[in-house]
Amino acid sequence: MPIENYLPFWQKLTSTQRDTLSRTATLHRAKKGAVLHNGAEDCEGLLLIVEGQLRAFTLSDEGKEITLYRLLSRDICLFSASCMLGSIQFDISVEAEQDTTFYQIPPKIYKQLMEESAPVSNYTNELISSRFSDVMWLMDQILYKRLDSRLAAFLLEESTLSGTTELKITHDTIARHLGSAREVVTRMLKYLQSEGAVTLSRGNVAIADEKKLRKLARESLR
Amino acid sequence: MPIENYLPFWQKLTSTQRDTLSRTATLHRAKKGAVLHNGAEDCEGLLLIVEGQLRAFTLSDEGKEITLYRLLSRDICLFSASCMLGSIQFDISVEAEQDTTFYQIPPKIYKQLMEESAPVSNYTNELISSRFSDVMWLMDQILYKRLDSRLAAFLLEESTLSGTTELKITHDTIARHLGSAREVVTRMLKYLQSEGAVTLSRGNVAIADEKKLRKLARESLR
């Protein structure tokens, strides 16, 4: 798995630039659960994922998380090198959600490449824009779409994915998926239970009335 | 007001590139209140502000707005040319908040410039990153801290207590009351000012639109 297979702009680099990249990029392995980047103080460099899965999330002072996006094979994590972009002024954290193999490219090297090469800079533009779009979508979901509908849609989706109406999932996990707080989700689940749409027990959410949930999920999609 | 005064990368362009830009950019005037860009279907081009003020905001299906950021003299509005960036997949709207004079650069011309010139592309990178940071900050404050709401509630309470809408209070004091940092409070106060809810002067916060503050205190932006 040479690094050139993972960089779409490789063909447009000079041989000096290729040499520099090959020489300075280092291959790493992270165990599932490992934190690879933690807020603005870190600047490890770009993470180029060979195999595995990373999760980027924000973390509030109170320890509340929102998952922003996920990175899979061939994706590049740019914000772990945010020191190279003066205008990036927010903190995200990145953890391995699966055992992950990745290349790490030093921020200085990449910054220099961007300055020399329009293709590298343009590719970086697309990366940032793409993550920006992810976050804007999330913000839209959270700010505009009502939580009852989103919760209903989420439960139906989980049920389809797992092939059962008995979901083994904690309120905390649901809250993190929906960018909400556990208490808010618990309250909304209780509301859904009181409406007869779900049945709650410890670590378990059972879909009691799929039709009702579908109706709820639909109403936000007007 | 020639266009070269407004483009930091002008010195790094070739004479052909300068000619193309000068020839294709057009000067426009928009009246206060005019909508210059409306969602993803539009792609007028980059707006380079000579004088005036633009507001970028998102609009939900229900017509609820959130101001994302403002653009002043020398700022560039990029998202009115989002068709040139494949990875931008969100809709924002842009309106003139003051009578505004601006250059419009055709998206095709700018895209070609970005492809040819690393300085242009890198400058664009910084622009996107900067807007991205604005939005992340807003999201963080609204989602995690409900600072908008808490600040509004605090100001109203202080006003009631002191029997005046002219509050003699420092940002530092407000921050301590809200368990936040001074810089964060200053930024949110500026946001409220730009929304017309308060007026700021040295050591003074004046309530300009009590109704707006009450609404914010009640429901936050989320």
Side-chain angles (χ1 to χ4, degrees):
Chain A
M1 45 187 154
I3 193 167
E4 63 221 66
N5 294 359
Y6 295 89
L7 295 171
F9 50 71
W10 186 263
Q11 295 304 324
K12 291 175 179 161
L13 299 178
T14 65
S15 58
T16 313
Q17 289 167 335
R18 290 181 195 177
D19 283 353
T20 309
L21 254 184
S22 301
R23 213 182 51 244
T24 54
T26 47
L27 196 61
H28 299 261
R29 263 166 244 280
K31 282 274 170 212
K32 179 176 173 175
V35 174
L36 301 182
H37 174 71
N38 194 6
E41 69 272 23
D42 285 2
C43 196
E44 308 79 11
L46 281 86
L47 311 179
L48 173 54
I49 299 153
V50 174
E51 202 176 12
Q53 183 173 319
L54 302 184
R55 182 175 76 102
F57 58 100
T58 61
L59 195 61
S60 73
D61 300 341
E62 300 86 29
K64 196 176 141 191
E65 286 180 10
I66 294 181
T67 300
L68 294 174
Y69 47 82
R70 287 184 164 79
L71 300 161
L72 306 172
S73 177
R74 290 175 191 280
D75 280 335
I76 291 182
C77 182
L78 200 67
F79 297 111
S80 49
S82 61
C83 59
M84 71 181 192
L85 283 162
S87 306
I88 290 285
Q89 287 170 340
F90 54 88
D91 300 352
I92 61 161
S93 298
V94 178
E95 66 164 19
E97 239 179 357
Q98 305 288 340
D99 290 353
T100 302
T101 309
F102 61 93
Y103 279 106
Q104 189 166 319
I105 304 172
K108 266 190 186 168
I109 301 289
Y110 196 84
K111 190 179 168 65
Q112 196 189 326
L113 265 187
M114 279 209 297
E115 278 163 10
E116 291 171 7
S117 158
V120 175
S121 181
N122 280 302
Y123 182 69
T124 311
N125 255 321
E126 292 290 343
L127 282 182
I128 300 179
S129 303
S130 175
R131 302 295 166 251
F132 196 172
S133 297
D134 289 342
V135 169
M136 286 296 288
W137 178 85
L138 191 69
M139 188 163 144
D140 189 54
Q141 293 298 312
I142 293 171
L143 294 177
Y144 288 145
K145 307 269 185 321
R146 301 201 320 268
L147 183 71
D148 51 352
S149 310
R150 287 170 46 237
L151 181 54
F154 175 76
L155 295 175
L156 288 167
E157 194 184 327
E158 282 297 298
S159 167
T160 306
L161 287 173
S162 60
T164 170
T165 57
E166 299 276 331
L167 308 176
K168 297 235 167 303
I169 193 164
T170 67
H171 300 187
D172 202 48
T173 305
I174 297 175
R176 243 175 298 136
H177 274 281
L178 297 178
S180 184
R182 190 189 48 73
E183 313 87 78
V184 177
V185 165
T186 297
R187 192 169 166 180
M188 187 59 76
L189 279 170
K190 281 182 182 161
Y191 171 78
L192 293 183
Q193 178 169 249
S194 72
E195 291 288 290
V198 302
T199 315
L200 306 177
S201 52
R202 193 156 188 84
N204 210 347
V205 180
I207 293 177
D209 189 342
E210 194 187 310
K211 213 173 136 192
K212 200 167 237 168
L213 274 187
R214 289 218 178 281
K215 188 163 177 293
L216 256 180
R218 242 190 342 262
E219 272 170 1
S220 79
L221 301 170
R222 55 188 136 168
Chain B
M1 46 186 153
I3 192 167
E4 63 221 63
N5 293 1
Y6 295 89
L7 295 171
F9 50 72
W10 187 264
Q11 295 305 325
K12 291 178 179 160
L13 298 179
T14 66
S15 58
T16 314
Q17 289 168 336
R18 291 183 193 176
D19 284 353
T20 308
L21 254 184
S22 301
R23 213 180 54 241
T24 55
T26 48
L27 196 62
H28 300 260
R29 264 170 243 278
K31 283 272 169 212
K32 179 176 173 174
V35 174
L36 300 182
H37 174 72
N38 193 6
E41 70 273 22
D42 285 3
C43 195
E44 309 80 11
L46 280 86
L47 311 179
L48 174 56
I49 299 153
V50 173
E51 202 177 8
Q53 184 174 319
L54 302 185
R55 181 176 76 101
F57 58 100
T58 60
L59 196 61
S60 74
D61 301 339
E62 300 85 29
K64 194 174 146 191
E65 284 180 12
I66 294 183
T67 299
L68 296 174
Y69 47 82
R70 284 182 164 78
L71 300 161
L72 306 170
S73 178
R74 289 173 194 279
D75 280 336
I76 291 182
C77 181
L78 200 68
F79 297 112
S80 49
S82 62
C83 58
M84 73 182 191
L85 283 163
S87 307
I88 291 286
Q89 288 171 340
F90 53 90
D91 300 353
I92 61 161
S93 298
V94 178
E95 66 163 20
E97 241 181 354
Q98 306 287 340
D99 290 353
T100 302
T101 309
F102 60 93
Y103 280 107
Q104 189 166 318
I105 304 172
K108 264 189 189 171
I109 301 291
Y110 195 85
K111 191 181 167 65
Q112 197 188 327
L113 265 186
M114 278 208 298
E115 278 164 9
E116 290 170 8
S117 158
V120 175
S121 182
N122 280 304
Y123 181 68
T124 312
N125 255 324
E126 292 291 342
L127 282 182
I128 300 180
S129 302
S130 176
R131 301 297 166 250
F132 197 172
S133 297
D134 288 343
V135 169
M136 287 295 289
W137 181 83
L138 195 66
M139 188 165 139
D140 188 52
Q141 293 306 317
I142 292 173
L143 292 179
Y144 285 146
K145 317 251 162 53
R146 287 175 169 273
L147 186 70
D148 51 341
S149 201
R150 286 166 51 225
L151 181 53
F154 175 77
L155 295 175
L156 288 166
E157 196 185 330
E158 282 298 297
S159 168
T160 306
L161 287 172
S162 61
T164 170
T165 56
E166 298 278 330
L167 308 175
K168 296 233 169 304
I169 192 165
T170 66
H171 300 187
D172 201 49
T173 307
I174 298 176
R176 245 173 301 129
H177 274 282
L178 298 178
S180 183
R182 188 188 49 71
E183 314 87 78
V184 177
V185 165
T186 297
R187 194 164 166 179
M188 187 55 84
L189 279 170
K190 282 183 182 160
Y191 182 83
L192 293 183
Q193 176 169 250
S194 68
E195 291 290 292
V198 302
T199 314
L200 305 177
S201 52
R202 196 159 183 82
N204 210 347
V205 180
I207 293 177
D209 187 339
E210 192 187 313
K211 212 173 136 194
K212 199 169 235 169
L213 273 188
R214 288 220 177 280
K215 190 160 178 291
L216 259 181
R218 240 185 350 256
E219 53 195 41
S220 170
L221 283 170
R222 73 176 184 176

